[in-house]
Amino acid sequence: MTKITVAATQMTCSWDVQANINQAKELITKAANDGANIILLQELFERKYFPQQQKPEYMDFACKLDDDLAIQQLQQLAKDLHVVLPVSFFEQQNTNRFNSIAIIDADGSILGIYRKSHIPDDVGYEEKYYFTPGNTGFKVWQTKYGKIGVGICWDQWFPEAARCMALLGAEFLFYPSAIGSVPKHPKINSRKHWQRTIQGHAAANLIPVVVSNRIGTETIDDSSIRFYGSAFITDQTGEIVEQADQESTTVLTHTFDTDKIKQTRNSWGLFRDRRPDLYKTLLTLDGTEKH
């Protein structure tokens, strides 16, 4: 296949896990009916965004890959609809917990998992309390509909992550997200900054990018976040070709010709002209090169 249709979605989430999964199924089915081959759901969609607050009891939400309710049900749906589904979940592995995503291929099989590499720590986004930094490294999977790379929310602020997935052969980049207002700091609005950053990943790597996000306001105790929504799809130049609003439950689809994108990428020479011998500074934390 050279023409691939991708989909981004956005929806509200409650504490009712099965209700959230049912809503996700509806969006996936709509996207598939619209011709989508690869469909992206948002980050941690099984519940409200629980890292808003540090609560030890929320640790019990984590489970092993084989025990996750959404993954169990969406494996069957992927098989029935012949679609690829990157599915976010709160993973437990022995004594550690990860913010992870399982890649379900169009036959319902799981190709593997990616564990979120960059873990944020901010007011209302207390992820370092819950998640161990991922140990999988950046990965690319050969699905029925092409090679895809997936980063998770905070990963989308790091050009290094996008570049690594591009170097591994990704034809599309997917970013499930949970981004919105900052509790107690109402003047902060990073929505446009967030989108421009991701557009740069597409442009610099000549790869289309698909982003899903939450909508609605979620309140936990004295903390409240209004999520930006604004799910979007860029083309390989970074131009936004599909854009959701900030409030509506939405399915976006767009069709790309991967052969034409490959020809464009080849003509630019962006990967031919890279100089990894000059990039050693990227392997340091503070810019101090070790000798």
Side-chain angles (χ1 to χ4, degrees):
M1 292 183 69
T2 64
K3 289 191 176 180
I4 306 297
T5 301
V6 296
T9 65
Q10 61 184 37
M11 69 184 204
T12 58
C13 294
S14 69
W15 288 120
D16 187 330
V17 174
Q18 188 59 59
N20 295 329
I21 295 172
N22 290 343
Q23 187 177 190
K25 288 179 178 179
E26 291 176 5
L27 295 179
I28 291 166
T29 301
K30 182 181 187 310
N33 289 339
D34 290 343
N37 306 118
I38 311 173
I39 303 163
L40 183 66
L41 298 167
Q42 62 215 37
E43 181 187 25
L44 299 172
F45 65 91
E46 289 181 85
R47 295 175 178 85
K48 285 188 177 182
Y49 179 73
F50 59 86
Q52 247 193 99
Q53 298 277 23
Q54 296 186 14
K55 289 179 175 284
E57 59 267 32
Y58 290 175
M59 294 288 191
D60 292 334
F61 294 155
C63 63
K64 294 181 180 179
L65 173 67
D66 292 342
D67 297 329
D68 186 84
L69 190 62
I71 291 173
Q72 291 173 355
Q73 296 184 36
L74 295 181
Q75 278 187 270
Q76 185 61 51
L77 188 63
K79 182 177 181 180
D80 292 343
L81 298 176
H82 308 291
V83 295
V84 173
L85 301 175
V87 179
S88 171
F89 73 109
F90 186 14
E91 181 192 10
Q92 180 169 0
Q93 179 64 32
N94 297 323
T95 56
N96 276 329
R97 295 169 178 83
F98 301 94
N99 188 337
S100 300
I101 196 152
I103 310 302
I104 303 176
D105 207 358
D107 61 357
S109 64
I110 295 178
L111 298 179
I113 62 171
Y114 166 70
R115 293 170 173 163
K116 188 173 182 176
S117 300
H118 305 95
I119 309 297
D121 183 22
D122 201 354
V123 178
Y125 300 85
E126 311 280 353
E127 293 200 17
K128 279 187 168 64
Y129 180 77
Y130 293 97
F131 308 127
T132 297
N135 60 354
T136 59
F138 305 113
K139 304 182 77 171
V140 165
W141 292 271
Q142 178 65 61
T143 74
K144 179 178 180 179
Y145 304 112
K147 289 186 177 181
I148 67 170
V150 182
I152 303 174
C153 203
W154 193 230
D155 287 333
Q156 64 205 357
W157 293 89
F158 295 85
E160 300 90 341
R163 179 69 90 194
C164 285
M165 290 185 280
L167 289 171
L168 290 168
E171 296 174 284
F172 296 94
L173 298 181
F174 291 83
Y175 290 102
S177 307
I179 183 170
S181 62
V182 180
K184 303 178 184 178
H185 297 279
K187 292 184 179 180
I188 295 176
N189 188 322
S190 60
R191 184 177 67 87
K192 291 183 179 180
H193 180 191
W194 162 66
Q195 289 192 322
R196 286 192 295 266
T197 299
I198 296 168
Q199 288 177 261
H201 301 334
N205 293 290
L206 288 165
I207 295 176
V209 175
V210 182
V211 182
S212 293
N213 192 30
R214 290 171 179 253
I215 55 173
T217 298
E218 297 182 14
T219 301
I220 301 177
D221 297 338
D222 63 346
S223 180
S224 185
I225 298 176
R226 180 183 180 276
F227 290 97
Y228 294 147
S230 305
F232 65 100
I233 300 172
T234 79
D235 69 9
Q236 67 276 12
T237 71
E239 181 178 357
I240 293 177
V241 292
E242 305 292 343
Q243 172 73 75
D245 64 23
Q246 297 184 54
E247 299 176 353
S248 304
T249 300
T250 304
V251 173
L252 304 173
T253 60
H254 195 85
T255 302
F256 292 96
D257 188 323
T258 56
D259 275 356
K260 288 185 178 179
I261 294 172
K262 181 180 179 181
Q263 292 170 10
T264 301
R265 190 182 301 122
N266 289 345
S267 71
W268 272 84
L270 289 176
F271 295 93
R272 178 199 64 204
D273 296 341
R274 292 183 66 255
R275 291 291 306 278
D277 56 310
L278 301 180
Y279 304 156
K280 294 178 182 178
T281 303
L282 295 178
L283 301 178
T284 73
L285 285 174
D286 61 0
T288 303
E289 189 171 329
K290 303 297 188 295
H291 296 282

